[in-house]
Every structure is written in structure tokens, then in C-alpha cells.
Amino acid sequence: MVSLGILPIEMDEAHYVRDVRRLSIGATVTVADGRGNRGEATLVEVAPRRLGLDVRSLTTTPAAAPLLALLGLPKPALVVAFGACGSSRG
């Protein structure tokens, strides 16, 4: 869970931030926990196998309503359409 204060980032995530994104001390990043919590943080520590982020503000997004999917509905037994052929009687 994201909370205010120093958030340690280790191993793969640290490698991504430091070596792939090439962020350095003072960079601002957004962190999220996948539960609707998100924080704005500043990179304050860079070490070979870990980073330190200072989370200074938090926002929470309310959970979305559950999605209801109806699958495998039965087909109608018979569909009758009148006047669909375009012919006329007369």
C-alpha cells in the first residue's frame, strides 16, 4: 500500500527507474499500488540495488462498480419478419 514517507524500491524496479528510465535524484514520479491508491513522489536516494522515493501526496480513486458480463445467452427459437422481402401482393 502506498503511504506518505520514504518508499524503498529494490532490485528489478530500481534497475528500471535508474538504468532504463535514467532518472536521477530530484525526479518526480507517480507510484501506485493497484488498489486505487496513488502518490506523487520524489527520488531521494540512488544506490546500486535500491532506490528511495519520498511520497509527499496521496490520492485515492474509488473502486469501480463490478462489471457483469452475460455470456452464452440462448438464441431465440424462431424469428419471424413480415414485409422484409420487399415484395408486394396485388
Side-chain angles (χ1 to χ4, degrees):
M1 180 162 186
V2 176
S3 60
L4 294 175
I6 302 298
L7 175 65
I9 305 295
E10 298 184 10
M11 306 297 282
D12 293 337
E13 292 86 359
H15 163 73
Y16 179 77
V17 170
R18 183 186 60 246
D19 301 329
V20 177
R21 294 297 308 264
R22 298 181 184 205
L23 299 180
S24 58
I25 290 179
T28 301
V29 297
T30 301
V31 294
D33 62 6
R35 297 181 191 149
N37 301 307
R38 187 172 59 192
E40 294 299 317
T42 303
L43 185 57
V44 294
E45 176 189 3
V46 177
R49 297 177 62 93
R50 72 170 190 266
L51 302 174
L53 296 172
D54 185 10
V55 181
R56 296 186 178 225
S57 67
L58 293 175
T59 57
T60 300
T61 304
L67 177 65
L68 175 62
L70 302 175
L71 304 174
L73 296 176
K75 294 180 182 179
L78 178 64
V79 175
V80 178
F82 293 99
C85 297
S87 64
S88 63
R89 293 185 179 187

